[in-house]
Amino acid sequence: MRATVNQEFCESAGVCRGLVPDVFVLAGDGTTQAVAADVPLELEEDVTLAIDSCPRLAISLLS
Ligand code: SF4
């Protein structure tokens, strides 16, 4: 399962990056991106929290 950030909605303020820095990162162009790799099992709960905490509802999970 991979996380993805919809750039159309993301404001890049970094709530998700603060919660799960191993999955959500600040790219060189200032956008917030999810790493391309699958979310490790031990971080799935944290990613779910990030999804629920995202003020722009910009995070999705891809199976
Ligand atoms: S919490 Fe949501 S709006 Fe904020 S940087 Fe992450 S994906 Fe973007």
Side-chain angles (χ1 to χ4, degrees):
M1 189 164 53
R2 287 171 45 187
T4 183
V5 175
N6 185 331
Q7 299 302 320
E8 202 173 320
F9 299 122
C10 176
E11 62 189 5
S12 207
V15 174
C16 59
R17 300 195 311 268
L19 289 170
V20 206
D22 288 341
V23 173
F24 300 102
V25 297
L26 184 63
D29 62 359
T31 61
T32 294
Q33 305 283 342
V35 297
D38 280 346
V39 175
L41 282 178
E42 65 270 22
L43 292 181
E44 284 188 1
E45 196 170 320
D46 292 342
V47 169
T48 299
L49 177 62
I51 290 170
D52 292 343
S53 302
C54 175
R56 303 299 302 270
L57 304 177
I59 304 170
S60 301
L61 285 174
L62 307 172
S63 54

